[in-house]
Amino acid sequence: MAPLPLDLEPGLYIVATPIGNLGDITLRAADVLRSAALIAAEDTRVTAKLLARIGSDRPMVPYHDHSDSRVRARLLERMRNESVALVSDAGTPLISDPGFKLVWEARAEGITVTTIPGPCAAIAALTLAGLPTDRFLFAGFLPAKAKASADTIAEFAGLDTTLVFYESGNRLARSLEALKDGLGDRPAAVVREITKAFEETVTGTLGTLATRYADAPPKGEIVIVVGPPEPAAPADADTLDAALAAAMEAQPLKSAVAEVSAALGLPRKQVYARALELRGGE
C-alpha cells in the first residue's frame, strides 16, 4: 500500500536528493516529493527518474540557473497558497546549484521556507578524504580562465582550513596543478562518483594527483579536497631581529611590532619585548 500524501502547508520546501544511489533518498524527502502541489526541478528529466522510483506523480516545472524573474514570480505565487518543492539534479539545492534567489525572494515576501536535509557531495567527500574536518571552506568550481583561477586560489592560500572544490574530469589535472602552484604541494584527495558503482577516493599530494590525471582524465562527478597548510616553523632569533630592525626603521614601534608579529606568527608580547631590547630598553 502506497504511503498517504502529507498535508503540507503552503510554502517552499528545499529537498535534498541522492547524489548517485537513489536508495539514499530520505523517508521525509520521499514523502514531501509525493505530496507537494508542484516540484521545481533543475532538470525535469533527471528528477523524473527519482519520482518514478519513489512512486510520485506530482507535476514538475523547470527551475535552473537560466530561469528569470518571471519564472520565480510564478513559483512565488503558487507558494502563497500551495506547497512547492525545490530540487536540483543531485544533492542539496543551493549548494553550487540553483535556488538562493528563490529562497531570498520567498523570505522577503513572508513565505515559509522549510529544508529537508540530505545528501551533499561536498560533505560526503570530506568524510572520505581523511583530511581535517574541524574547519573547512567550500569554494565551488574554480574559474575556467587560468588567471582568474590563480587569483581565486591566492585568496585561499593564507587560510588555515581544509578546502573543498567541485571539478569536471577534463579540467581536473589543470586545476590540481594550479592549486599546487598557488597553495604549495599540500595533501589532497580526489573523490568521484560518490555512492555510485565506481566510487573512488584517491589521496596524495596535489602534485602527485595532478601527474596521475594529466593523461587520464576521469569520468563522473568530482570533488577535490585539499588539506590545510602545515604549521610554519617558528622564526629563529636572527630572523626576528632582522624583521624588527627593518620594520622599526620605517615605522613607529607599536606598528612595527604588529607587522612582525603577524608576518612571523609570533606572540605580540614576545615580539614587543625583543623590540624593546633592540631599542636599548626604551
Side-chain angles (χ1 to χ4, degrees):
M1 182 176 178
L4 294 175
L6 303 176
D7 184 16
L8 296 175
E9 295 292 327
L12 174 61
Y13 294 78
I14 304 164
V15 183
T17 58
I19 56 178
N21 190 321
L22 295 185
D24 290 337
I25 187 77
T26 69
L27 295 175
R28 186 176 175 218
D31 284 343
V32 169
L33 294 179
R34 284 191 290 257
S35 307
L38 182 69
I39 299 171
E42 183 179 5
D43 187 328
T44 56
R45 296 166 299 180
V46 172
T47 301
K49 297 175 184 177
L50 175 62
L51 297 188
R53 173 70 176 267
I54 64 174
S56 172
D57 61 357
R58 308 315 299 151
M60 291 186 286
V61 294
Y63 185 77
H64 44 70
D65 281 332
H66 305 294
S67 297
D68 60 22
S69 58
R70 293 170 296 178
V71 176
R72 286 195 296 278
R74 290 194 290 269
L75 289 173
L76 291 166
E77 184 61 34
R78 295 288 297 267
M79 290 174 207
R80 295 185 184 99
N81 303 295
E82 298 176 290
S83 55
V84 176
L86 173 68
V87 298
S88 61
D89 286 352
T92 301
L94 282 73
I95 307 303
S96 204
D97 280 324
F100 89 88
K101 291 180 181 178
L102 188 62
V103 173
W104 177 273
E105 293 184 22
R107 289 206 170 280
E109 296 196 18
I111 293 169
T112 300
V113 180
T114 303
T115 189
I116 293 81
C120 173
I123 301 300
L126 274 168
T127 68
L128 292 167
L131 293 168
T133 57
D134 56 326
R135 185 165 52 174
F136 63 89
L137 183 149
F138 171 65
F141 286 88
L142 288 170
K145 294 187 177 180
K147 185 180 185 309
S149 178
D151 290 345
T152 299
I153 292 168
E155 296 175 11
F156 305 136
L159 301 180
D160 183 19
T161 184
T162 295
L163 303 172
V164 183
F165 302 89
Y166 286 166
E167 195 48 274
S168 60
N170 63 330
R171 297 192 345 165
L172 177 60
R174 183 176 60 194
S175 290
L176 289 167
E177 192 68 34
L179 287 165
K180 185 195 76 170
D181 291 343
L183 303 175
D185 203 12
R186 297 188 191 178
V190 172
V191 188
R192 68 182 191 91
E193 295 293 83
I194 301 172
T195 77
K196 300 179 185 178
F198 298 103
E199 178 182 306
E200 178 183 61
T201 300
V202 181
T203 60
T205 66
L206 287 168
T208 59
L209 291 170
T211 300
R212 175 189 177 103
Y213 293 109
D215 298 317
K219 297 180 180 179
E221 304 294 328
I222 297 167
V223 184
I224 302 172
V225 185
V226 184
E230 293 292 331
D236 59 30
D238 290 342
T239 300
L240 172 58
D241 288 356
L244 278 171
M248 289 190 296
E249 187 175 332
Q251 56 193 306
L253 179 67
K254 288 186 178 180
S255 298
V257 167
E259 177 184 292
V260 172
S261 175
L264 299 183
L266 294 172
R268 186 172 297 197
K269 185 176 181 180
Q270 174 188 341
V271 176
Y272 186 73
R274 182 56 182 161
L276 289 178
E277 290 176 2
L278 293 176
R279 290 276 296 265
E282 296 177 25

